[in-house]
Amino acid sequence: LLLPDDYGNTVYSAMAMQSNYDVSKLSPYGGTGIEMIRITAHDYDLSEGMAFAREVKAKGYKLSINPINIMGYSDERILWILQQVNEIQPYQFSIVDTFGSMKRRDLDRIVNLVDHNLDRSIRVALHLHENMALSCCLAQRFVDFHLNRPVAVDASLMGMGRIPGNLPIELIADYLNDYGEGVYDI
């Protein structure tokens, strides 16, 4: 892995699915290189995913907990996840719409649950897939919540990503330039 010597403000991250990676092979964070590990887990192995997350954090990495397919969870299960996340105290928790099935009211409900039950010190991120041509509108709505905590929105150039693709970075950056505090060079 080749990274530039000067990172600037960039945080390099990697993603690991707990069922596909042996965390004992992960070296402790040494102050350079990949700084954040985004862990994922399915609904059927969330407990194992939380144990995996604890081990990643213990190795000194910034930790993002990204449960796969948040749309597949009941409100009660989301609250259980948030309780686990609060105990772990990661850098970030991500709302992940794995199959691009989220609509505005779903986003409103889930963000409300997360914002009211997640420790205020934990950053909230949004990761959207572009199945119903709603990712940009949902990302705009998320930004416009003006949550009283740090937030992040995942995006990729021209929406490149696993089919059906992700939120296009140039669209959300343009919106942030127009209506937020963005200073992005499109």
Side-chain angles (χ1 to χ4, degrees):
L1 180 65
L2 299 174
L3 299 177
D5 292 332
D6 180 13
Y7 296 176
N9 293 325
T10 303
V11 172
Y12 289 96
S13 68
M15 183 175 282
M17 181 178 293
Q18 72 82 28
S19 61
N20 294 345
Y21 186 77
D22 180 358
V23 74
S24 69
K25 294 180 180 178
L26 181 65
S27 301
Y29 178 62
T32 61
I34 292 172
E35 184 177 351
M36 181 167 66
I37 306 289
R38 300 166 58 194
I39 68 101
T40 64
H42 290 279
D43 57 348
Y44 54 81
D45 62 0
L46 269 174
S47 293
E48 294 88 347
M50 295 300 171
F52 183 85
R54 285 181 175 88
E55 291 185 55
V56 167
K57 185 176 178 193
K59 291 186 182 241
Y61 291 89
K62 285 183 178 176
L63 172 66
S64 179
I65 297 177
N66 302 28
I68 294 171
N69 188 25
I70 201 157
M71 290 294 294
Y73 298 110
S74 67
D75 288 358
E76 293 77 21
R77 190 66 168 162
I78 293 171
L79 291 171
W80 178 87
I81 293 169
L82 296 173
Q83 179 184 28
Q84 302 304 304
V85 171
N86 285 338
E87 290 173 12
I88 296 169
Q89 286 292 300
Y91 173 72
Q92 173 176 283
F93 174 77
S94 194
I95 297 168
V96 180
D97 181 23
T98 304
F99 300 112
S101 61
M102 185 179 286
K103 296 179 181 164
R104 187 191 53 80
R105 289 184 181 178
D106 299 318
L107 179 72
D108 291 353
R109 177 181 56 81
I110 293 168
V111 168
N112 189 40
L113 275 173
V114 170
D115 191 45
H116 287 92
N117 293 283
L118 188 67
D119 187 294
R120 285 268 162 228
S121 66
I122 301 170
R123 182 169 98 155
V124 175
L126 183 65
H127 181 96
L128 300 166
H129 287 247
E130 185 61 270
N131 192 40
M132 297 188 302
L134 293 174
S135 69
C136 192
C137 291
L138 291 171
Q140 290 173 14
R141 175 81 172 155
F142 178 72
V143 168
D144 289 345
F145 276 118
H146 301 288
L147 301 179
N148 190 23
R149 66 169 80 234
V151 297
V153 176
D154 289 347
S156 60
L157 185 62
M158 297 187 305
M160 286 187 290
R162 199 168 153 193
I163 294 176
N166 298 94
L167 169 66
I169 198 166
E170 59 277 11
L171 297 182
I172 192 60
D174 184 59
Y175 182 79
L176 292 171
N177 284 344
D178 289 346
Y179 298 103
E181 296 177 17
V183 289
Y184 300 104
D185 181 358
I186 306 297

